Amino acid sequence: MAKSPKQMRKKTEANIQNEIIIWCNLNRPDVVLIPVVNEAAYNNRNQTILKGTSDLIAVLKDKVVFIEVKHGYNKQTKPQIVFERRVNALNHEYHIVKSVEEFKKCI
């Protein structure tokens, strides 16, 4: 069944993530952007997925940046907060973004 125009315009975290990936692929060939399998896979009992992992990992020449994509008033889950703390303890960057513009500021 085809989506209505209203459904097509609705922003979701998945839509924002796709916009970021497309923008990065077109504009930042110097960045290796890795989308991470989300918790839906974990919920399907795939025990190899680390719960709370960020949505994206950006590998740049001098750093690795972990990116969590959120929409609206959505907040981090407890496992995501734990993951952020682990990343920060290793002196890597972790950012929460809600748009391509916010993503651009992180890289």
Side-chain angles (χ1 to χ4, degrees):
M1 177 177 231
K3 292 183 178 181
S4 71
K6 184 177 181 180
Q7 288 173 317
M8 290 172 60
R9 282 182 268 139
K10 184 178 178 184
K11 284 277 188 191
T12 65
E13 290 176 12
N15 294 138
I16 297 167
Q17 183 172 326
N18 286 336
E19 289 172 5
I20 289 169
I21 292 167
I22 291 166
W23 179 86
C24 197
N25 286 340
L26 293 173
N27 297 285
R28 291 295 305 267
D30 59 316
V31 176
V32 175
L33 192 61
I34 304 165
V36 178
V37 177
N38 66 18
E39 288 187 40
Y42 181 86
N43 292 335
N44 287 329
R45 302 299 178 243
N46 182 345
Q47 300 298 315
T48 62
I49 303 299
L50 177 61
K51 229 177 163 184
T53 304
S54 61
D55 294 315
L56 300 166
I57 301 171
V59 181
L60 293 90
K61 182 178 179 183
D62 298 322
K63 63 182 179 178
V64 176
V65 181
F66 296 83
I67 309 288
E68 179 63 34
V69 179
K70 292 294 180 193
H71 177 257
Y73 295 105
N74 291 351
K75 295 184 179 183
Q76 287 176 291
T77 64
K78 287 181 182 179
Q80 289 171 337
I81 293 168
V82 169
F83 181 81
E84 177 182 8
R85 288 179 183 153
R86 291 176 70 185
V87 165
N88 290 336
L90 294 169
N91 293 321
H92 291 290
E93 293 181 33
Y94 181 101
H95 298 276
I96 300 169
V97 301
K98 294 186 177 189
S99 67
V100 174
E101 294 305 315
E102 288 183 11
F103 170 79
K104 290 178 189 178
K105 295 175 187 175
C106 300
I107 60 164

